Coordinates of all heavy atoms in Angstrom, one line a residue:
Chain A
D43 N 76.5 118.1 14.0 CA 75.5 117.0 14.2 C 76.1 115.7 13.6 O 75.4 115.0 12.9 CB 74.2 117.4 13.6 CG 73.6 118.6 14.3 OD1 73.8 118.8 15.5 OD2 73.0 119.4 13.6
S77 N 75.6 115.8 17.8 CA 75.7 114.4 17.4 C 74.5 114.0 16.7 O 73.6 114.8 16.5 CB 75.9 113.5 18.7 OG 76.1 112.2 18.4
R167 N 72.9 105.8 46.7 CA 73.3 105.9 48.1 C 72.6 107.1 48.8 O 72.1 106.9 49.9 CB 74.9 106.2 48.2 CG 75.3 106.4 49.6 CD 76.8 106.4 49.7 NE 77.4 105.0 49.5 CZ 78.7 104.7 49.6 NH1 79.6 105.7 49.9 NH2 79.1 103.5 49.4
E168 N 72.5 108.2 48.1 CA 71.8 109.4 48.7 C 70.3 109.1 49.0 O 69.8 109.4 50.0 CB 72.1 110.6 47.9 CG 73.5 111.0 47.9 CD 73.9 112.2 47.0 OE1 73.1 112.4 46.0 OE2 74.8 112.9 47.2
D172 N 67.8 108.8 52.4 CA 66.5 109.6 52.5 C 65.4 108.6 52.9 O 64.7 108.8 53.9 CB 66.2 110.3 51.2 CG 65.0 111.2 51.2 OD1 64.0 110.7 51.6 OD2 65.1 112.4 50.9
S175 N 65.4 107.1 56.4 CA 65.1 108.0 57.5 C 63.5 108.2 57.6 O 63.1 108.6 58.6 CB 65.8 109.3 57.5 OG 66.0 109.8 56.2
R178 N 59.6 104.6 58.5 CA 58.7 104.1 59.5 C 57.3 104.6 59.3 O 56.3 103.8 59.5 CB 59.2 104.6 60.9 CG 58.4 104.1 62.0 CD 59.2 104.1 63.3 NE 58.4 104.1 64.5 CZ 58.8 104.4 65.7 NH1 60.1 104.8 65.9 NH2 58.0 104.3 66.8
T181 N 57.2 106.5 52.9 CA 57.6 105.7 51.8 C 58.5 104.5 52.2 O 59.5 104.7 52.9 CB 58.4 106.5 50.8 OG1 57.6 107.6 50.4 CG2 58.8 105.7 49.6
E209 N 72.7 97.1 52.7 CA 72.6 98.5 52.4 C 71.9 98.7 51.1 O 72.0 97.9 50.2 CB 73.9 99.2 52.4 CG 74.5 99.4 53.8 CD 75.8 100.2 53.9 OE1 76.4 100.3 52.8 OE2 76.2 100.6 54.9
K262 N 48.1 101.7 29.4 CA 48.1 102.8 28.4 C 47.9 104.1 29.1 O 47.3 104.2 30.2 CB 46.9 102.5 27.5 CG 46.8 101.1 26.9 CD 47.8 101.0 25.8 CE 47.6 99.6 25.1 NZ 48.6 99.3 24.1
H267 N 48.6 105.2 24.4 CA 49.9 104.7 24.2 C 50.4 103.9 25.3 O 50.1 104.1 26.5 CB 50.9 105.9 24.0 CG 50.5 106.8 22.9 ND1 49.8 108.0 23.2 CD2 50.7 106.8 21.6 CE1 49.6 108.6 22.1 NE2 50.1 107.9 21.1
Q275 N 58.0 102.7 37.4 CA 56.7 102.8 38.0 C 55.9 101.5 38.0 O 55.2 101.2 38.9 CB 55.9 103.9 37.3 CG 54.6 104.2 38.1 CD 53.9 105.5 37.6 OE1 54.0 105.8 36.4 NE2 53.2 106.1 38.5
D283 N 50.4 97.2 44.8 CA 49.2 96.4 44.6 C 49.3 95.1 45.4 O 48.3 94.6 45.9 CB 49.0 96.1 43.1 CG 48.5 97.3 42.4 OD1 47.6 98.0 42.9 OD2 49.0 97.6 41.3
H290 N 58.0 105.5 46.1 CA 58.4 106.6 45.2 C 59.3 106.0 44.2 O 59.9 105.0 44.4 CB 59.2 107.6 46.1 CG 58.4 108.8 46.5 ND1 58.7 110.1 46.1 CD2 57.4 108.8 47.4 CE1 57.8 110.9 46.7 NE2 57.0 110.2 47.5
D295 N 67.0 109.2 33.5 CA 67.0 109.6 32.1 C 68.2 110.4 31.7 O 69.3 109.9 32.1 CB 65.7 110.4 31.8 CG 65.4 110.6 30.3 OD1 65.2 109.5 29.7 OD2 65.5 111.7 29.8
Y296 N 68.1 111.4 31.0 CA 69.3 112.2 30.5 C 70.2 112.7 31.7 O 71.4 113.0 31.4 CB 68.9 113.3 29.6 CG 68.4 112.9 28.3 CD1 67.7 113.8 27.5 CD2 68.7 111.6 27.7 CE1 67.2 113.4 26.2 CE2 68.2 111.3 26.5 CZ 67.5 112.2 25.7 OH 67.0 111.8 24.5
R299 N 73.4 110.6 32.1 CA 74.4 110.6 31.1 C 75.0 112.0 30.8 O 76.0 112.1 30.1 CB 74.0 109.9 29.8 CG 73.1 110.7 28.9 CD 72.7 109.9 27.7 NE 72.3 110.9 26.7 CZ 71.6 110.5 25.6 NH1 71.4 109.3 25.3 NH2 71.2 111.5 24.7
H303 N 79.0 117.1 36.5 CA 79.4 117.6 37.8 C 79.9 116.5 38.7 O 80.6 116.8 39.7 CB 78.2 118.4 38.4 CG 77.1 117.5 39.0 ND1 76.0 117.1 38.2 CD2 76.9 117.0 40.2 CE1 75.2 116.4 38.9 NE2 75.7 116.3 40.1
G397 N 77.6 129.5 41.4 CA 77.0 128.3 42.0 C 76.6 127.2 41.0 O 76.1 126.2 41.4
P399 N 77.9 124.8 37.4 CA 79.0 124.4 36.5 C 79.2 125.3 35.4 O 78.2 125.6 34.7 CB 78.7 123.0 36.1 CG 77.7 122.4 37.1 CD 76.9 123.7 37.6
Y401 N 80.1 125.6 32.0 CA 80.4 124.7 30.8 C 80.8 125.6 29.6 O 80.3 126.7 29.4 CB 79.2 123.8 30.5 CG 79.0 122.8 31.6 CD1 77.8 122.5 32.1 CD2 80.1 122.1 32.1 CE1 77.6 121.6 33.1 CE2 79.9 121.1 33.1 CZ 78.6 120.9 33.6 OH 78.5 120.0 34.6
R403 N 81.1 126.9 25.8 CA 80.4 127.0 24.5 C 81.4 127.3 23.4 O 82.1 128.3 23.6 CB 79.3 128.1 24.6 CG 78.2 127.8 25.5 CD 77.3 129.0 25.6 NE 76.3 128.8 26.7 CZ 76.5 129.0 27.9 NH1 77.7 129.5 28.3 NH2 75.6 128.8 28.8
Chain B
S77 N 63.2 110.4 60.6 CA 62.2 111.5 60.7 C 60.9 110.8 60.5 O 60.8 109.6 60.5 CB 62.5 112.5 59.5 OG 61.5 113.5 59.6
K160 N 70.2 124.2 43.6 CA 71.5 124.0 42.9 C 71.5 122.7 42.1 O 71.9 122.6 41.0 CB 72.6 123.9 44.0 CG 74.0 123.9 43.4 CD 75.1 123.8 44.5 CE 76.5 124.0 44.0 NZ 76.9 125.4 44.0
R167 N 70.8 122.3 33.3 CA 71.8 122.8 32.4 C 72.5 121.6 31.7 O 72.7 121.7 30.5 CB 72.9 123.6 33.2 CG 74.0 124.1 32.4 CD 74.9 125.0 33.1 NE 74.3 126.3 33.3 CZ 74.8 127.4 33.8 NH1 76.1 127.3 34.2 NH2 74.2 128.5 33.9
E168 N 72.8 120.6 32.4 CA 73.5 119.4 31.9 C 72.6 118.7 30.8 O 73.0 118.4 29.7 CB 73.9 118.5 33.0 CG 75.0 119.1 33.8 CD 75.5 118.2 35.0 OE1 74.6 117.4 35.5 OE2 76.6 118.4 35.4
D172 N 72.8 118.1 26.6 CA 72.6 116.7 26.0 C 71.6 116.8 24.9 O 71.8 116.4 23.7 CB 72.2 115.8 27.1 CG 72.1 114.3 26.6 OD1 71.4 114.1 25.6 OD2 72.7 113.4 27.2
S175 N 72.5 118.7 21.7 CA 73.4 118.1 20.8 C 72.8 117.0 20.0 O 73.3 116.5 18.9 CB 74.7 117.5 21.5 OG 74.4 117.0 22.8
R178 N 68.7 117.4 16.4 CA 68.5 117.4 14.9 C 67.8 116.1 14.5 O 67.0 116.1 13.6 CB 69.8 117.6 14.2 CG 69.6 117.7 12.7 CD 70.8 118.5 12.1 NE 70.9 118.3 10.7 CZ 72.0 118.6 10.0 NH1 73.0 119.1 10.6 NH2 72.0 118.4 8.7
T181 N 65.7 113.2 20.1 CA 64.8 113.9 21.0 C 64.7 115.4 20.9 O 65.8 116.0 20.9 CB 65.2 113.5 22.5 OG1 65.3 112.1 22.6 CG2 64.2 114.1 23.5
E209 N 68.3 130.0 26.5 CA 69.0 128.8 26.9 C 68.0 127.9 27.7 O 67.1 128.4 28.3 CB 70.2 129.1 27.8 CG 71.4 129.6 27.0 CD 72.6 129.9 27.8 OE1 72.5 129.9 29.0 OE2 73.7 130.1 27.2
K262 N 45.1 106.0 33.4 CA 45.2 104.9 34.4 C 46.3 104.0 34.1 O 46.6 103.8 32.9 CB 43.8 104.1 34.5 CG 42.6 105.0 34.7 CD 42.5 105.5 36.1 CE 41.1 106.3 36.2 NZ 41.0 106.8 37.5
H267 N 44.8 102.5 38.5 CA 45.1 103.7 39.3 C 45.5 104.9 38.5 O 46.1 104.7 37.4 CB 46.3 103.4 40.2 CG 46.2 102.2 41.1 ND1 46.7 101.0 40.7 CD2 45.5 102.0 42.2 CE1 46.3 100.1 41.7 NE2 45.6 100.7 42.6
Q269 N 47.7 107.8 37.4 CA 49.2 107.9 37.3 C 49.6 109.1 38.1 O 49.7 110.2 37.5 CB 49.7 108.0 35.9 CG 49.3 106.8 35.0 CD 50.4 105.7 35.2 OE1 51.3 105.8 36.0 NE2 50.3 104.7 34.4
D283 N 51.6 114.1 21.1 CA 50.3 113.9 20.5 C 49.9 115.0 19.6 O 49.4 114.9 18.5 CB 49.2 113.6 21.5 CG 49.3 112.2 22.1 OD1 49.5 111.3 21.3 OD2 49.3 112.1 23.3
H290 N 61.8 112.9 25.9 CA 62.3 112.2 27.0 C 61.9 113.0 28.2 O 61.7 114.2 28.2 CB 63.9 112.2 27.0 CG 64.4 110.9 26.4 ND1 65.1 110.0 27.1 CD2 64.3 110.4 25.2 CE1 65.5 109.0 26.4 NE2 65.0 109.2 25.2
D295 N 62.5 113.2 41.7 CA 62.1 112.6 43.0 C 63.1 112.8 44.1 O 63.6 113.9 44.3 CB 61.7 111.1 42.7 CG 60.9 110.5 43.8 OD1 59.7 111.0 44.0 OD2 61.3 109.6 44.5
Y296 N 63.3 111.7 44.9 CA 64.2 111.9 46.1 C 65.6 112.2 45.7 O 66.3 112.7 46.6 CB 64.2 110.6 46.9 CG 62.9 110.3 47.6 CD1 62.6 109.0 48.1 CD2 62.0 111.2 47.9 CE1 61.5 108.7 48.8 CE2 60.9 111.0 48.6 CZ 60.6 109.7 49.1 OH 59.5 109.4 49.8
R299 N 66.3 115.9 46.6 CA 66.4 116.4 48.0 C 67.4 115.7 48.8 O 67.6 116.0 50.0 CB 65.0 116.4 48.7 CG 64.5 115.0 49.1 CD 63.2 115.1 49.8 NE 62.9 113.8 50.5 CZ 61.8 113.5 51.0 NH1 60.7 114.2 50.9 NH2 61.7 112.3 51.7
H303 N 75.9 115.6 47.4 CA 77.1 115.7 46.6 C 77.2 117.1 45.9 O 78.3 117.5 45.5 CB 77.3 114.6 45.7 CG 76.4 114.6 44.4 ND1 75.1 114.1 44.4 CD2 76.6 115.1 43.2 CE1 74.6 114.3 43.2 NE2 75.5 114.9 42.5
P399 N 80.6 109.4 47.7 CA 80.6 110.2 48.9 C 80.6 109.4 50.2 O 79.9 108.3 50.2 CB 79.2 111.0 48.8 CG 78.9 110.9 47.4 CD 79.5 109.7 46.8
Y401 N 79.5 109.1 53.5 CA 78.5 109.6 54.5 C 78.6 109.0 55.8 O 79.0 107.8 55.9 CB 77.1 109.5 53.9 CG 76.9 110.4 52.6 CD1 76.3 109.9 51.5 CD2 77.4 111.7 52.6 CE1 76.2 110.6 50.3 CE2 77.2 112.5 51.5 CZ 76.6 112.0 50.4 OH 76.4 112.7 49.2
R403 N 77.6 107.4 59.4 CA 76.6 106.6 60.0 C 76.8 106.7 61.6 O 77.9 106.5 62.0 CB 76.7 105.1 59.7 CG 76.4 104.8 58.2 CD 76.6 103.3 57.9 NE 76.5 103.1 56.5 CZ 77.5 103.3 55.6 NH1 78.7 103.8 56.0 NH2 77.3 103.1 54.4

Side-chain angles (χ1 to χ4, degrees):
Chain A
D43 300 322
S77 182
R167 177 170 290 183
E168 292 176 334
D172 186 306
S175 34
R178 184 159 162 194
T181 306
E209 285 183 345
K262 309 283 185 183
H267 302 98
Q275 189 169 29
D283 287 313
H290 264 244
D295 196 62
Y296 288 161
R299 75 179 198 193
H303 74 272
Y401 294 133
R403 291 175 190 82
Chain B
S77 182
K160 189 181 186 87
R167 175 171 290 183
E168 292 177 332
D172 186 306
S175 36
R178 184 159 163 195
T181 306
E209 284 183 346
K262 307 284 185 181
H267 303 98
Q269 296 276 7
D283 287 313
H290 264 244
D295 196 64
Y296 287 161
R299 75 178 198 194
H303 74 273
Y401 293 133
R403 290 176 191 83

